[in-house]
Amino acid sequence: MMSGVSSAALPYLRPASPSASNATAGLQPVSAASDAATSSPGIPVSQLKPLQGAKPISAADDPVLHDLMAMHWLMAHDTGATQPAVSDDAPENTYAQVKVDGKVVATLYNGGSSTMTNAAAAKIGKLEDPSGLSGPDLAQWRADTYARLLGGTVEKAPTAITQSQWTPRESRSTTYSREQLDAAFQAMLAEGQKATAQRQSSYLASRTQAGASADISA
């Protein structure tokens, strides 16, 4: 039987895909100059002038905005969407655990991803996965490698599956045809008009009810 592992004990996540990058790598510290800029007195209201010839732009007349709004509507109303899939590192997807002196130091999952303690991650260091491995095969390779580097043992989980039983996750396409975008935009407009009509109807009904109450009280 596998021993329980709290999420706090395994803070280091190693994704199944070696191409995953740190999303915060591109962040730069904010310069102190920006603080100085915000402290400026600004432009006096008396010097502000109205824009000449400015015209409101409809989303329907802006191709980029039109397609962006339609794409978001399609993604929010994905008719092919099902119940959220179980995450790769869910307990029911556990492939194996690596133990050192009876303590769990790493957990491998059927999709190939793994979690481990900070101490184990520091000892393993940068580890390049073999090309071509994925799913349970990658999980097995990682488990064996971790156990060898950490001086531990591998315990296969009862929830482990074979490579033939594994189904890779399908990536959802965000590419839509011109017909889909145009139809989505029209549907979005129809939804907005319907919602506006419902709000107006509710408002008029509340006003009518308020007027009737006033007459009765008079």
Side-chain angles (χ1 to χ4, degrees):
M1 293 293 295
M2 293 164 47
S3 60
V5 184
S6 65
S7 58
L10 297 173
Y12 183 84
L13 172 65
R14 183 179 176 85
S17 172
S19 62
S21 60
N22 186 351
T24 61
L27 296 180
Q28 298 294 331
V30 179
S31 172
S34 61
D35 295 335
T38 57
S39 63
S40 61
I43 302 175
V45 177
S46 59
Q47 295 184 10
L48 297 178
K49 297 180 180 180
L51 293 176
Q52 299 296 327
K55 297 180 179 179
I57 300 177
S58 170
D61 300 327
D62 187 329
V64 176
L65 183 57
H66 171 284
D67 290 355
L68 183 62
M69 294 176 67
M71 183 178 69
H72 282 290
W73 188 93
L74 283 168
M75 294 175 66
H77 295 74
D78 185 3
T79 56
T82 56
Q83 293 295 326
V86 177
S87 62
D88 287 337
D89 58 349
E92 54 266 43
N93 279 337
T94 302
Y95 180 83
Q97 288 183 330
V98 176
K99 293 184 177 182
V100 176
D101 297 330
K103 296 182 179 180
V104 177
V105 295
T107 301
L108 295 303
Y109 301 94
N110 289 317
S113 61
S114 61
T115 56
M116 66 184 73
T117 61
N118 287 331
K123 190 171 183 179
I124 291 175
K126 186 177 181 181
L127 185 65
E128 295 294 336
D129 297 324
S131 60
L133 286 186
S134 60
D137 283 351
L138 177 59
Q140 184 65 56
W141 181 87
R142 284 185 171 183
D144 293 338
T145 304
Y146 294 169
R148 175 173 53 82
L149 295 175
L150 299 172
T153 58
V154 177
E155 290 188 11
K156 203 80 164 286
T159 51
I161 61 176
T162 63
Q163 190 70 18
S164 60
Q165 294 174 315
W166 178 64
T167 303
R169 289 181 180 270
E170 295 182 1
S171 59
R172 295 178 59 185
S173 173
T174 55
T175 302
Y176 301 101
S177 66
R178 169 50 47 197
E179 291 75 14
Q180 287 176 305
L181 292 172
D182 290 341
F185 191 81
Q186 294 303 319
M188 182 185 65
L189 293 179
E191 278 189 357
Q193 293 171 353
K194 182 179 180 180
T196 301
Q198 290 176 342
R199 287 195 296 269
Q200 290 177 343
S201 177
S202 299
Y203 173 75
L204 292 175
S206 63
R207 290 296 299 271
T208 300
Q209 184 177 4
S213 300
D215 291 341
I216 294 174
S217 62

